[in-house]
Coordinates of all heavy atoms in Angstrom, one line a residue:
M1 N -13.5 -21.5 65.4 CA -13.2 -21.8 64.0 C -14.0 -20.9 63.1 O -13.5 -20.5 62.1 CB -13.6 -23.2 63.7 CG -13.3 -23.6 62.3 SD -12.3 -25.1 62.3 CE -12.0 -25.3 60.6
C2 N -15.2 -20.5 63.5 CA -16.0 -19.6 62.6 C -15.3 -18.3 62.5 O -15.5 -17.7 61.4 CB -17.4 -19.4 63.2 SG -18.4 -20.9 63.0
Q3 N -14.6 -17.8 63.5 CA -13.9 -16.5 63.4 C -12.9 -16.6 62.3 O -12.6 -15.6 61.6 CB -13.3 -16.2 64.7 CG -14.3 -15.8 65.8 CD -15.0 -14.5 65.3 OE1 -14.5 -13.6 64.7 NE2 -16.3 -14.5 65.7
L4 N -12.3 -17.7 62.0 CA -11.4 -17.9 60.9 C -12.0 -17.5 59.6 O -11.4 -16.7 58.8 CB -10.8 -19.3 60.9 CG -9.9 -19.7 59.7 CD1 -8.6 -18.9 59.9 CD2 -9.7 -21.2 59.7
F5 N -13.2 -17.9 59.4 CA -13.9 -17.6 58.1 C -14.4 -16.2 58.1 O -14.4 -15.5 57.1 CB -15.0 -18.6 57.8 CG -14.4 -20.0 57.6 CD1 -14.6 -21.0 58.6 CD2 -13.7 -20.3 56.5 CE1 -14.1 -22.3 58.4 CE2 -13.2 -21.6 56.3 CZ -13.4 -22.6 57.2
I6 N -15.0 -15.8 59.3 CA -15.6 -14.5 59.3 C -14.5 -13.4 59.2 O -14.8 -12.3 58.5 CB -16.3 -14.3 60.7 CG1 -17.5 -15.2 60.7 CG2 -16.7 -12.8 60.9 CD1 -18.2 -15.3 62.1
S7 N -13.3 -13.6 59.7 CA -12.3 -12.6 59.6 C -11.4 -12.7 58.4 O -10.4 -12.0 58.3 CB -11.5 -12.6 60.9 OG -10.8 -13.8 61.1
A8 N -11.7 -13.7 57.6 CA -10.8 -13.9 56.4 C -11.0 -12.8 55.4 O -12.0 -12.1 55.3 CB -11.2 -15.2 55.7
D9 N -9.9 -12.5 54.7 CA -9.9 -11.5 53.7 C -10.8 -11.9 52.5 O -10.6 -12.9 51.9 CB -8.4 -11.3 53.2 CG -8.3 -10.2 52.1 OD1 -9.3 -9.6 51.8 OD2 -7.1 -10.1 51.7
D10 N -11.8 -11.1 52.3 CA -12.8 -11.4 51.3 C -12.2 -11.5 49.9 O -12.7 -12.2 49.0 CB -13.9 -10.2 51.2 CG -14.8 -10.2 52.4 OD1 -14.7 -11.2 53.2 OD2 -15.5 -9.2 52.6
S11 N -11.1 -10.8 49.7 CA -10.6 -10.8 48.3 C -10.0 -12.2 48.0 O -9.9 -12.6 46.8 CB -9.4 -9.8 48.2 OG -8.3 -10.1 49.0
L12 N -9.7 -13.0 49.0 CA -9.2 -14.4 48.7 C -10.2 -15.2 48.1 O -9.9 -16.2 47.3 CB -8.7 -15.0 50.0 CG -7.4 -14.5 50.6 CD1 -7.1 -15.1 52.0 CD2 -6.2 -14.6 49.7
W13 N -11.5 -15.0 48.3 CA -12.6 -15.8 47.9 C -13.2 -15.3 46.6 O -14.1 -15.9 46.1 CB -13.6 -16.1 49.0 CG -12.9 -16.5 50.2 CD1 -12.8 -15.8 51.4 CD2 -12.0 -17.6 50.4 NE1 -12.0 -16.5 52.3 CE2 -11.5 -17.6 51.7 CE3 -11.6 -18.7 49.6 CZ2 -10.6 -18.5 52.2 CZ3 -10.7 -19.6 50.1 CH2 -10.3 -19.6 51.4
S14 N -12.8 -14.1 46.2 CA -13.4 -13.6 44.9 C -12.8 -14.4 43.8 O -11.6 -14.8 43.9 CB -13.1 -12.1 44.8 OG -11.8 -11.8 44.8
S15 N -13.5 -14.5 42.7 CA -13.0 -15.3 41.6 C -12.3 -14.4 40.6 O -12.6 -13.2 40.4 CB -14.2 -16.0 40.9 OG -14.8 -16.9 41.7
K16 N -11.4 -15.1 39.9 CA -10.7 -14.4 38.8 C -10.5 -15.4 37.6 O -10.2 -16.5 37.9 CB -9.3 -13.9 39.3 CG -8.5 -13.1 38.3 CD -7.3 -12.6 39.0 CE -6.5 -11.6 38.1 NZ -5.3 -11.1 38.8
T17 N -10.8 -14.9 36.4 CA -10.7 -15.8 35.3 C -9.5 -15.3 34.5 O -9.3 -14.1 34.2 CB -12.0 -15.7 34.4 OG1 -13.1 -16.0 35.2 CG2 -11.9 -16.6 33.2
K18 N -8.7 -16.3 34.1 CA -7.5 -16.0 33.3 C -7.5 -16.9 32.0 O -7.9 -18.1 32.1 CB -6.2 -16.3 34.1 CG -6.0 -15.4 35.2 CD -4.6 -15.6 35.8 CE -4.4 -14.6 37.0 NZ -3.0 -14.7 37.5
S19 N -7.1 -16.3 30.9 CA -7.0 -17.0 29.7 C -5.6 -17.5 29.5 O -4.7 -16.9 29.9 CB -7.4 -16.1 28.5 OG -8.7 -15.8 28.5
L20 N -5.5 -18.7 28.9 CA -4.2 -19.3 28.7 C -4.3 -20.2 27.5 O -5.3 -20.5 27.0 CB -3.6 -20.0 29.9 CG -4.4 -21.2 30.4 CD1 -3.4 -22.3 30.7 CD2 -5.2 -20.8 31.6
R21 N -3.1 -20.7 27.0 CA -3.0 -21.6 25.9 C -2.4 -22.9 26.4 O -1.3 -22.9 27.0 CB -2.2 -20.9 24.8 CG -2.2 -21.6 23.5 CD -1.4 -20.8 22.5 NE -1.9 -19.5 22.2 CZ -2.8 -19.2 21.2 NH1 -3.2 -20.2 20.4 NH2 -3.3 -18.0 21.1
I22 N -3.1 -24.0 26.2 CA -2.6 -25.3 26.5 C -2.5 -26.1 25.2 O -3.5 -26.4 24.6 CB -3.5 -26.1 27.5 CG1 -3.6 -25.3 28.8 CG2 -3.0 -27.5 27.8 CD1 -4.5 -25.9 29.9
Q23 N -1.2 -26.4 24.9 CA -1.0 -27.2 23.6 C -1.6 -26.5 22.4 O -2.3 -27.1 21.6 CB -1.4 -28.6 23.7 CG -0.5 -29.4 24.6 CD -0.8 -30.9 24.5 OE1 -1.9 -31.3 24.5 NE2 0.3 -31.7 24.4
G24 N -1.5 -25.2 22.3 CA -2.0 -24.4 21.2 C -3.5 -24.1 21.3 O -4.1 -23.4 20.4
V25 N -4.2 -24.6 22.3 CA -5.7 -24.3 22.4 C -5.9 -23.3 23.5 O -5.4 -23.4 24.6 CB -6.4 -25.6 22.8 CG1 -7.9 -25.4 23.0 CG2 -6.2 -26.7 21.8
V26 N -6.6 -22.2 23.1 CA -6.9 -21.1 24.0 C -8.1 -21.6 24.9 O -9.1 -22.1 24.4 CB -7.3 -19.8 23.3 CG1 -7.7 -18.7 24.3 CG2 -6.1 -19.4 22.4
T27 N -7.9 -21.4 26.2 CA -8.9 -21.8 27.2 C -8.9 -20.8 28.3 O -8.0 -19.9 28.3 CB -8.7 -23.2 27.7 OG1 -9.9 -23.6 28.4 CG2 -7.5 -23.3 28.5
S28 N -9.8 -20.9 29.2 CA -9.8 -20.0 30.4 C -10.1 -20.8 31.6 O -10.7 -21.9 31.5 CB -10.8 -18.9 30.3 OG -12.1 -19.4 30.2
I29 N -9.5 -20.4 32.7 CA -9.7 -21.1 34.0 C -10.2 -20.0 35.0 O -9.6 -18.9 35.1 CB -8.5 -21.7 34.5 CG1 -8.0 -22.8 33.6 CG2 -8.7 -22.3 35.9 CD1 -6.7 -23.5 33.9
R30 N -11.3 -20.3 35.7 CA -11.8 -19.4 36.7 C -11.6 -20.1 38.1 O -12.0 -21.2 38.4 CB -13.3 -19.2 36.5 CG -14.0 -18.3 37.5 CD -15.4 -18.1 37.1 NE -16.1 -17.2 38.0 CZ -16.2 -15.9 37.8 NH1 -15.8 -15.3 36.7 NH2 -16.8 -15.1 38.7
L31 N -10.8 -19.4 38.9 CA -10.4 -19.8 40.2 C -10.6 -18.7 41.2 O -10.5 -17.5 40.8 CB -9.0 -20.3 40.3 CG -8.6 -21.5 39.4 CD1 -7.1 -21.7 39.4 CD2 -9.3 -22.8 40.0
E32 N -10.7 -19.0 42.5 CA -10.7 -18.0 43.5 C -9.2 -17.5 43.6 O -8.3 -18.2 43.3 CB -11.1 -18.6 44.9 CG -12.6 -18.9 45.0 CD -13.0 -20.2 44.2 OE1 -12.1 -20.9 43.7 OE2 -14.2 -20.4 44.1
V33 N -9.1 -16.3 44.1 CA -7.8 -15.6 44.2 C -6.9 -16.5 45.1 O -5.7 -16.6 44.8 CB -7.9 -14.2 44.8 CG1 -6.6 -13.6 45.1 CG2 -8.7 -13.3 43.8
F34 N -7.4 -17.1 46.1 CA -6.6 -18.0 47.0 C -5.9 -19.1 46.1 O -4.7 -19.3 46.3 CB -7.6 -18.7 47.9 CG -7.0 -19.8 48.8 CD1 -6.2 -19.5 49.8 CD2 -7.3 -21.1 48.5 CE1 -5.7 -20.5 50.6 CE2 -6.7 -22.1 49.2 CZ -5.9 -21.8 50.3
F35 N -6.5 -19.7 45.1 CA -5.9 -20.7 44.3 C -4.9 -20.1 43.4 O -3.8 -20.6 43.1 CB -6.9 -21.5 43.5 CG -7.8 -22.4 44.4 CD1 -9.1 -22.1 44.6 CD2 -7.2 -23.5 45.1 CE1 -9.9 -22.9 45.5 CE2 -8.0 -24.3 45.9 CZ -9.3 -24.0 46.1
W36 N -5.2 -18.9 42.8 CA -4.2 -18.2 42.0 C -2.9 -17.9 42.8 O -1.8 -17.9 42.3 CB -4.8 -16.9 41.4 CG -5.8 -17.2 40.3 CD1 -7.1 -16.9 40.3 CD2 -5.5 -17.9 39.0 NE1 -7.7 -17.3 39.1 CE2 -6.8 -17.9 38.4 CE3 -4.4 -18.4 38.4 CZ2 -6.9 -18.5 37.1 CZ3 -4.6 -19.0 37.2 CH2 -5.8 -19.0 36.5
D37 N -3.1 -17.5 44.1 CA -1.9 -17.2 44.9 C -1.1 -18.5 45.1 O 0.2 -18.4 45.1 CB -2.4 -16.7 46.3 CG -3.0 -15.3 46.2 OD1 -2.8 -14.6 45.2 OD2 -3.6 -14.9 47.2
I38 N -1.7 -19.6 45.3 CA -1.0 -20.9 45.4 C -0.2 -21.2 44.2 O 1.0 -21.5 44.2 CB -1.9 -22.1 45.8 CG1 -2.6 -21.9 47.1 CG2 -1.2 -23.4 45.7 CD1 -3.7 -22.9 47.4
L39 N -0.9 -20.9 43.0 CA -0.2 -21.1 41.7 C 1.0 -20.2 41.6 O 2.1 -20.7 41.1 CB -1.2 -20.9 40.6 CG -2.1 -22.1 40.2 CD1 -3.1 -21.6 39.3 CD2 -1.3 -23.2 39.6
E40 N 0.9 -19.0 42.0 CA 2.0 -18.1 41.9 C 3.2 -18.6 42.7 O 4.3 -18.5 42.3 CB 1.6 -16.7 42.4 CG 0.7 -15.9 41.5 CD 1.3 -15.4 40.3 OE1 2.6 -15.2 40.2 OE2 0.6 -15.1 39.3
E41 N 2.9 -19.0 44.0 CA 4.0 -19.6 44.8 C 4.6 -20.8 44.2 O 5.9 -20.9 44.2 CB 3.4 -19.9 46.2 CG 3.0 -18.8 47.0 CD 4.1 -18.0 47.6 OE1 5.2 -18.7 47.9 OE2 4.0 -16.8 47.8
L42 N 3.8 -21.7 43.7 CA 4.4 -22.9 43.2 C 5.2 -22.7 41.9 O 6.3 -23.2 41.7 CB 3.2 -23.9 42.8 CG 2.5 -24.6 44.0 CD1 1.3 -25.3 43.5 CD2 3.5 -25.4 44.8
S43 N 4.7 -21.8 41.1 CA 5.4 -21.5 39.8 C 6.7 -20.7 40.1 O 7.7 -21.0 39.5 CB 4.6 -20.7 38.8 OG 4.2 -19.4 39.4
F44 N 6.7 -19.9 41.1 CA 7.9 -19.2 41.5 C 9.0 -20.2 42.0 O 10.1 -20.2 41.7 CB 7.6 -18.1 42.6 CG 8.9 -17.4 43.1 CD1 9.5 -16.4 42.3 CD2 9.4 -17.8 44.3 CE1 10.6 -15.8 42.8 CE2 10.6 -17.1 44.8 CZ 11.2 -16.1 44.0
R45 N 8.5 -21.1 42.9 CA 9.3 -22.1 43.5 C 10.0 -23.0 42.4 O 11.1 -23.4 42.4 CB 8.5 -23.0 44.4 CG 9.3 -24.1 45.1 CD 8.5 -25.2 45.7 NE 7.8 -26.0 44.7 CZ 7.0 -26.9 44.9 NH1 6.6 -27.2 46.1 NH2 6.5 -27.6 43.9
D46 N 9.2 -23.3 41.3 CA 9.6 -24.2 40.3 C 10.2 -23.5 39.1 O 10.5 -24.1 38.1 CB 8.5 -25.1 39.8 CG 8.0 -26.1 40.9 OD1 8.8 -26.3 41.9 OD2 7.0 -26.7 40.7
Q47 N 10.4 -22.2 39.2 CA 11.0 -21.3 38.2 C 10.3 -21.4 36.9 O 11.0 -21.7 35.8 CB 12.5 -21.6 38.1 CG 13.2 -21.3 39.4 CD 14.7 -21.6 39.4 OE1 15.1 -22.4 38.5 NE2 15.5 -21.0 40.3
M48 N 9.0 -21.3 36.9 CA 8.3 -21.3 35.6 C 7.1 -20.3 35.7 O 6.8 -19.8 36.8 CB 7.8 -22.7 35.2 CG 6.9 -23.3 36.3 SD 6.3 -25.0 35.8 CE 7.8 -25.9 35.6
T49 N 6.5 -20.0 34.6 CA 5.3 -19.1 34.7 C 4.1 -19.9 35.2 O 4.1 -21.1 35.1 CB 5.0 -18.5 33.3 OG1 4.6 -19.6 32.4 CG2 6.2 -17.8 32.7
V50 N 3.1 -19.2 35.6 CA 1.8 -19.8 36.0 C 1.3 -20.7 34.8 O 0.8 -21.8 35.0 CB 0.8 -18.8 36.5 CG1 -0.5 -19.4 36.7 CG2 1.3 -18.2 37.8
N51 N 1.3 -20.1 33.6 CA 0.8 -20.8 32.4 C 1.5 -22.1 32.2 O 1.0 -23.1 31.9 CB 0.8 -19.9 31.2 CG -0.3 -18.9 31.2 OD1 -1.0 -18.7 32.2 ND2 -0.4 -18.1 30.2
Q52 N 2.9 -22.0 32.3 CA 3.7 -23.2 32.2 C 3.3 -24.3 33.2 O 3.3 -25.5 32.9 CB 5.2 -22.9 32.2 CG 5.7 -22.1 31.1 CD 7.1 -21.6 31.3 OE1 7.5 -21.3 32.4 NE2 7.8 -21.5 30.2
L53 N 3.1 -23.9 34.4 CA 2.8 -24.8 35.5 C 1.4 -25.4 35.3 O 1.3 -26.7 35.4 CB 2.8 -24.1 36.9 CG 2.5 -25.0 38.1 CD1 3.5 -26.1 38.2 CD2 2.4 -24.1 39.3
I54 N 0.5 -24.6 34.9 CA -0.9 -25.2 34.6 C -0.8 -26.2 33.5 O -1.4 -27.3 33.6 CB -1.9 -24.1 34.3 CG1 -2.2 -23.2 35.5 CG2 -3.2 -24.6 33.7 CD1 -3.0 -22.0 35.2
T55 N -0.1 -25.9 32.4 CA 0.1 -26.8 31.3 C 0.8 -28.1 31.7 O 0.3 -29.2 31.4 CB 0.9 -26.1 30.2 OG1 0.1 -25.0 29.7 CG2 1.1 -27.1 29.0
K56 N 1.8 -28.0 32.5 CA 2.5 -29.1 33.0 C 1.6 -30.0 33.8 O 1.5 -31.2 33.7 CB 3.7 -28.7 33.9 CG 4.5 -29.9 34.4 CD 5.7 -29.4 35.2 CE 6.5 -30.6 35.8 NZ 7.6 -30.2 36.6
L57 N 0.8 -29.4 34.8 CA -0.1 -30.2 35.6 C -1.2 -30.9 34.8 O -1.6 -32.0 35.0 CB -0.7 -29.3 36.7 CG 0.3 -28.8 37.8 CD1 -0.4 -27.8 38.6 CD2 0.8 -30.0 38.6
Y58 N -1.7 -30.1 33.8 CA -2.7 -30.7 32.9 C -2.2 -31.9 32.1 O -2.8 -33.0 32.1 CB -3.2 -29.6 31.9 CG -4.2 -30.1 30.9 CD1 -5.5 -30.3 31.3 CD2 -3.8 -30.4 29.6 CE1 -6.5 -30.8 30.4 CE2 -4.8 -30.9 28.7 CZ -6.1 -31.0 29.1 OH -7.0 -31.5 28.2
L59 N -1.0 -31.8 31.5 CA -0.4 -32.9 30.7 C -0.1 -34.1 31.6 O -0.3 -35.2 31.2 CB 0.8 -32.4 30.0 CG 0.5 -31.4 28.9 CD1 1.8 -30.8 28.2 CD2 -0.5 -31.9 27.8
E60 N 0.4 -33.8 32.8 CA 0.7 -34.9 33.8 C -0.5 -35.6 34.2 O -0.5 -36.8 34.3 CB 1.5 -34.4 35.0 CG 2.9 -34.0 34.7 CD 3.7 -33.5 35.9 OE1 3.1 -33.4 37.0 OE2 4.9 -33.2 35.7
S61 N -1.6 -34.9 34.4 CA -2.9 -35.5 34.8 C -3.4 -36.4 33.6 O -4.0 -37.5 33.8 CB -3.9 -34.5 35.2 OG -4.3 -33.7 34.2
L62 N -3.2 -35.9 32.4 CA -3.6 -36.8 31.2 C -2.8 -38.0 31.1 O -3.3 -39.1 30.9 CB -3.5 -36.0 29.9 CG -4.5 -34.9 29.7 CD1 -4.2 -34.2 28.3 CD2 -5.9 -35.4 29.7
D63 N -1.5 -37.9 31.3 CA -0.5 -39.0 31.3 C -0.9 -40.1 32.4 O -0.7 -41.2 32.2 CB 0.9 -38.6 31.5 CG 1.5 -37.9 30.2 OD1 0.9 -38.0 29.2 OD2 2.5 -37.2 30.4
A64 N -1.4 -39.6 33.5 CA -1.8 -40.5 34.6 C -3.2 -41.0 34.4 O -3.7 -41.7 35.3 CB -1.7 -39.7 35.9
D65 N -3.8 -40.8 33.3 CA -5.2 -41.2 33.0 C -6.2 -40.8 34.0 O -7.2 -41.5 34.3 CB -5.2 -42.8 32.9 CG -4.5 -43.3 31.7 OD1 -4.5 -42.6 30.6 OD2 -3.9 -44.4 31.8
H66 N -6.0 -39.6 34.6 CA -7.1 -39.0 35.4 C -8.3 -38.6 34.6 O -8.1 -38.1 33.5 CB -6.5 -37.8 36.2 CG -5.5 -38.2 37.2 ND1 -4.8 -37.2 38.0 CD2 -5.0 -39.4 37.7 CE1 -4.0 -37.8 38.8 NE2 -4.1 -39.1 38.6
D67 N -9.4 -38.8 35.2 CA -10.6 -38.3 34.5 C -10.8 -36.8 34.8 O -11.1 -36.5 36.0 CB -11.9 -39.1 35.0 CG -13.1 -38.6 34.4 OD1 -13.1 -37.9 33.4 OD2 -14.2 -39.0 34.9
I68 N -10.5 -36.0 33.9 CA -10.5 -34.5 34.1 C -11.6 -33.9 33.3 O -11.3 -32.9 32.6 CB -9.1 -33.9 33.9 CG1 -8.5 -34.2 32.6 CG2 -8.2 -34.3 35.1 CD1 -7.3 -33.5 32.3
G69 N -12.8 -34.4 33.3 CA -13.9 -33.8 32.5 C -14.1 -32.4 33.0 O -14.5 -31.5 32.1
N70 N -13.9 -32.1 34.2 CA -14.0 -30.7 34.7 C -12.6 -30.4 35.3 O -12.4 -30.6 36.5 CB -15.1 -30.6 35.8 CG -15.3 -29.2 36.3 OD1 -14.4 -28.3 36.1 ND2 -16.4 -28.9 36.9
F71 N -11.8 -29.8 34.4 CA -10.4 -29.6 34.8 C -10.3 -28.6 36.0 O -9.5 -28.8 36.9 CB -9.6 -29.1 33.7 CG -8.1 -28.9 34.0 CD1 -7.3 -29.9 34.4 CD2 -7.6 -27.6 33.9 CE1 -6.0 -29.7 34.7 CE2 -6.2 -27.4 34.2 CZ -5.4 -28.4 34.6
T72 N -11.2 -27.6 36.0 CA -11.1 -26.6 37.1 C -11.4 -27.2 38.5 O -10.6 -27.0 39.4 CB -12.1 -25.4 36.8 OG1 -11.7 -24.8 35.6 CG2 -12.0 -24.4 37.9
S73 N -12.3 -28.1 38.5 CA -12.6 -28.8 39.8 C -11.5 -29.7 40.2 O -11.0 -29.7 41.4 CB -13.9 -29.6 39.7 OG -15.0 -28.8 39.6
F74 N -11.0 -30.4 39.2 CA -9.8 -31.3 39.5 C -8.6 -30.4 40.0 O -7.9 -30.8 40.9 CB -9.4 -32.0 38.2 CG -8.1 -32.8 38.3 CD1 -8.0 -34.0 38.9 CD2 -7.0 -32.2 37.7 CE1 -6.8 -34.7 38.9 CE2 -5.8 -32.9 37.8 CZ -5.7 -34.1 38.4
F75 N -8.4 -29.3 39.3 CA -7.3 -28.4 39.6 C -7.4 -27.8 41.0 O -6.5 -27.8 41.7 CB -7.3 -27.3 38.5 CG -6.0 -26.6 38.4 CD1 -4.9 -27.3 38.1 CD2 -6.0 -25.3 38.4 CE1 -3.7 -26.7 37.9 CE2 -4.8 -24.6 38.2 CZ -3.6 -25.3 38.0
K76 N -8.6 -27.4 41.4 CA -8.8 -26.9 42.8 C -8.5 -28.0 43.8 O -7.8 -27.7 44.8 CB -10.3 -26.4 43.0 CG -10.6 -25.2 42.3 CD -12.1 -24.8 42.6 CE -12.4 -23.5 41.9 NZ -13.8 -23.1 42.2
G77 N -9.0 -29.2 43.6 CA -8.6 -30.3 44.5 C -7.1 -30.5 44.6 O -6.6 -30.7 45.7
L78 N -6.5 -30.5 43.5 CA -5.0 -30.7 43.4 C -4.3 -29.6 44.2 O -3.4 -29.8 45.0 CB -4.6 -30.7 42.0 CG -3.1 -30.8 41.7 CD1 -2.5 -32.1 42.3 CD2 -2.8 -30.6 40.3
L79 N -4.7 -28.3 43.9 CA -4.0 -27.2 44.5 C -4.3 -27.2 46.0 O -3.3 -26.9 46.8 CB -4.5 -25.9 43.9 CG -4.1 -25.6 42.5 CD1 -4.7 -24.4 42.0 CD2 -2.5 -25.5 42.4
F80 N -5.5 -27.5 46.4 CA -5.8 -27.6 47.9 C -4.9 -28.6 48.6 O -4.4 -28.4 49.6 CB -7.3 -27.8 48.1 CG -7.6 -27.7 49.6 CD1 -7.7 -26.4 50.2 CD2 -7.9 -28.8 50.3 CE1 -8.0 -26.3 51.5 CE2 -8.2 -28.7 51.6 CZ -8.3 -27.5 52.3
S81 N -4.8 -29.8 47.9 CA -4.0 -30.9 48.5 C -2.6 -30.5 48.6 O -1.9 -30.7 49.6 CB -4.1 -32.1 47.6 OG -5.4 -32.6 47.6
L82 N -2.0 -29.8 47.5 CA -0.7 -29.3 47.6 C -0.5 -28.3 48.7 O 0.5 -28.4 49.5 CB -0.3 -28.7 46.3 CG -0.1 -29.6 45.1 CD1 0.1 -28.9 43.8 CD2 1.1 -30.5 45.3
F83 N -1.4 -27.5 48.9 CA -1.4 -26.4 49.9 C -1.4 -27.1 51.3 O -0.6 -26.7 52.2 CB -2.5 -25.4 49.8 CG -2.5 -24.4 50.8 CD1 -1.6 -23.3 50.8 CD2 -3.5 -24.4 51.8 CE1 -1.6 -22.4 51.8 CE2 -3.5 -23.4 52.8 CZ -2.6 -22.4 52.8
V84 N -2.3 -28.0 51.5 CA -2.5 -28.6 52.9 C -1.4 -29.6 53.2 O -0.9 -29.6 54.3 CB -3.9 -29.2 53.0 CG1 -4.1 -30.0 54.3 CG2 -5.0 -28.1 52.9
F85 N -1.1 -30.5 52.3 CA -0.3 -31.6 52.6 C 1.2 -31.5 52.2 O 2.0 -32.4 52.6 CB -0.9 -32.9 51.9 CG -2.3 -33.2 52.4 CD1 -3.3 -33.1 51.5 CD2 -2.5 -33.6 53.7 CE1 -4.6 -33.3 52.0 CE2 -3.8 -33.8 54.2 CZ -4.9 -33.7 53.3
N86 N 1.5 -30.5 51.4 CA 2.9 -30.4 51.0 C 3.7 -29.5 51.9 O 3.5 -28.3 51.9 CB 3.0 -29.9 49.5 CG 4.3 -30.0 48.9 OD1 5.3 -30.3 49.6 ND2 4.4 -29.8 47.7
S87 N 4.6 -30.0 52.7 CA 5.4 -29.2 53.6 C 6.6 -28.7 52.9 O 7.4 -28.0 53.6 CB 5.7 -30.1 54.8 OG 6.5 -31.2 54.4
R88 N 6.8 -29.0 51.7 CA 8.0 -28.5 51.0 C 7.8 -27.2 50.2 O 8.5 -27.0 49.2 CB 8.6 -29.6 50.1 CG 9.1 -30.8 50.8 CD 9.5 -31.9 49.9 NE 8.2 -32.6 49.5 CZ 8.1 -33.3 48.4 NH1 9.1 -33.4 47.5 NH2 6.9 -33.8 48.1
W89 N 6.9 -26.4 50.6 CA 6.7 -25.1 50.0 C 8.0 -24.4 50.0 O 8.4 -23.5 49.5 CB 5.6 -24.3 50.7 CG 4.3 -24.8 50.3 CD1 3.6 -25.9 50.6 CD2 3.4 -24.1 49.4 NE1 2.4 -25.9 50.0 CE2 2.2 -24.8 49.3 CE3 3.4 -22.8 48.8 CZ2 1.1 -24.4 48.6 CZ3 2.4 -22.4 48.0 CH2 1.2 -23.2 48.0

């Protein structure tokens, strides 16, 4: 199992910050490239932009009364869960 991590592409774990607007408010999200790749796949699948998908997920999490004091951490958990448990990619 350690070989999986040792031989992994370093670029997947480097961070990238992107600015976006959610309901008219400019913000930024810093995620590892791995998570941005998942977002690209999901947004392509759902025929929307990455910014539209992030906004949709944010608003849905508010509607569900999730405590999202740290949206980036919440978002990483959500994306990882979608990646691992969603077989409908």
Side-chain angles (χ1 to χ4, degrees):
M1 179 129 183
C2 290
Q3 286 300 320
L4 175 68
F5 296 108
I6 292 169
S7 62
D9 182 1
D10 292 347
S11 68
L12 291 175
W13 311 117
S14 63
S15 295
K16 186 173 187 179
T17 303
K18 292 189 179 186
S19 294
L20 63 136
R21 191 176 297 267
I22 298 177
Q23 290 191 315
V25 177
V26 176
T27 189
S28 62
I29 297 177
R30 182 178 181 93
L31 297 170
E32 288 77 8
V33 172
F34 172 76
F35 292 109
W36 288 116
D37 290 348
I38 294 171
L39 277 169
E40 290 286 340
E41 290 285 330
L42 290 172
S43 63
F44 178 78
R45 181 195 71 183
D46 293 348
Q47 299 178 339
M48 57 179 63
T49 67
V50 170
N51 287 5
Q52 289 171 329
L53 179 61
I54 291 171
T55 299
K56 180 179 179 183
L57 292 171
Y58 177 77
L59 294 175
E60 286 179 0
S61 64
L62 288 179
D63 288 343
D65 291 326
H66 291 176
D67 179 13
I68 53 172
N70 184 340
F71 182 64
T72 300
S73 292
F74 170 80
F75 203 52
K76 285 180 179 182
L78 174 66
L79 291 173
F80 187 73
S81 296
L82 288 170
F83 178 74
V84 171
F85 299 112
N86 190 350
S87 61
R88 291 175 282 157
W89 276 75

